[in-house]
Amino acid sequence: MKISVQQLIWLTMGAISVTMISGFGHLFIRHHQATVRARPIANVNHATTKVKASVPVTIDWHKPSMARAYPKLAQYSAINIRVSIKKQRVYLQNNEQVLYTMLASTGKHGSDTPTGQFEVQAERGLHFFNTQSGEGANYWVSFKDHGIYLFHSVPVDANNQYIANEAKQLGKVANSHGCIRLSIADAKWLYENIPTHTPVVVS
């Protein structure tokens, strides 16, 4: 079969076109593969967040509320006491600078601790017992009505034994009959060290 020159030219051009297209195809595939290999694989963190269970704070109502020493009052010129009913705390301050924080328990509903401005009064003592309420306390210091509203230790029974289930409420629940309960150590320190006429603010 004879092939004309024109047909030979067309066959040659067709072969060249197929070769070029095939070459471009291989180049495209290699480029695409290289691009895929170059893409970073995102690290997916499947770790779950662990929720820590709240740990109840244990109150040692025998000891001072803070790990550090009580302040030396002689070094300060404007000592005052601020009682927070909301936070169940007693703050020993110099002006507005908090020097020491004590856990407290103020009056429960119906026997609320009076709010306002008062001062440490002359009356103080080592022990009392109230037969009407069936409770007493140690290391008491009056701040209102001369022996009626007091700072004192966590409560004791008729045998002067501390009532543990009441003492455990210190710093958590307002549970007194109107006075301000403190840990044994805090009450003892206040009894021995707080000067008469120290301003007291309860709010």
Side-chain angles (χ1 to χ4, degrees):
M1 181 177 65
K2 293 183 179 180
I3 299 174
S4 66
V5 175
Q6 187 177 7
Q7 288 175 327
L8 183 60
I9 292 170
W10 280 107
L11 287 172
T12 303
M13 291 178 65
I16 293 170
S17 298
V18 170
T19 302
M20 291 177 66
I21 292 170
S22 176
F24 281 125
H26 286 299
L27 286 172
F28 175 78
I29 291 171
R30 283 197 294 270
H31 173 73
H32 180 69
Q33 289 174 339
T35 303
V36 170
R37 284 195 296 269
R39 288 177 182 170
I41 298 174
N43 292 323
V44 180
N45 186 5
H46 294 288
T48 56
T49 303
K50 294 182 180 180
V51 179
K52 293 183 178 179
S54 59
V55 179
V57 177
T58 302
I59 303 298
D60 190 339
W61 43 269
H62 300 85
K63 295 182 179 180
S65 293
M66 301 183 73
R68 58 188 176 85
Y70 294 108
K72 295 180 180 180
L73 300 185
Q75 297 178 356
Y76 304 96
S77 60
I79 293 294
N80 64 92
I81 296 173
R82 179 168 61 87
V83 180
S84 171
I85 293 176
K86 180 179 179 180
K87 295 183 177 180
Q88 293 297 290
R89 296 291 188 273
V90 170
Y91 301 100
L92 185 65
Q93 304 182 153
N94 182 55
N95 287 320
E96 295 183 357
Q97 177 193 2
V98 176
L99 304 176
Y100 199 91
T101 302
M102 299 177 178
L103 300 173
S105 186
T106 58
K108 59 188 174 182
H109 182 66
S111 299
D112 304 84
T113 301
T115 58
Q117 298 182 358
F118 313 103
E119 69 173 22
V120 172
Q121 298 176 324
E123 296 83 6
R124 64 182 70 196
L126 289 173
H127 175 78
F128 76 90
F129 184 78
N130 187 324
T131 55
Q132 185 176 359
S133 65
E135 291 180 355
N138 296 322
Y139 307 115
W140 61 270
V141 176
S142 178
F143 70 91
K144 186 179 186 298
D145 294 343
H146 300 282
I148 302 300
Y149 291 99
L150 318 169
F151 293 100
H152 61 65
S153 72
V154 290
V156 298
D157 60 20
N159 297 315
N160 201 24
Q161 299 297 307
Y162 289 102
I163 305 171
N165 63 325
E166 291 281 332
K168 290 176 182 178
Q169 304 301 318
L170 195 68
K172 301 175 183 178
V173 179
N175 205 35
S176 80
H177 299 283
C179 293
I180 298 169
R181 295 175 178 175
L182 303 171
S183 75
I184 299 171
D186 289 349
K188 184 175 186 292
W189 182 88
L190 203 73
Y191 164 78
E192 292 176 345
N193 292 276
I194 201 70
T196 303
H197 304 302
T198 297
V200 176
V201 176
V202 181
S203 62

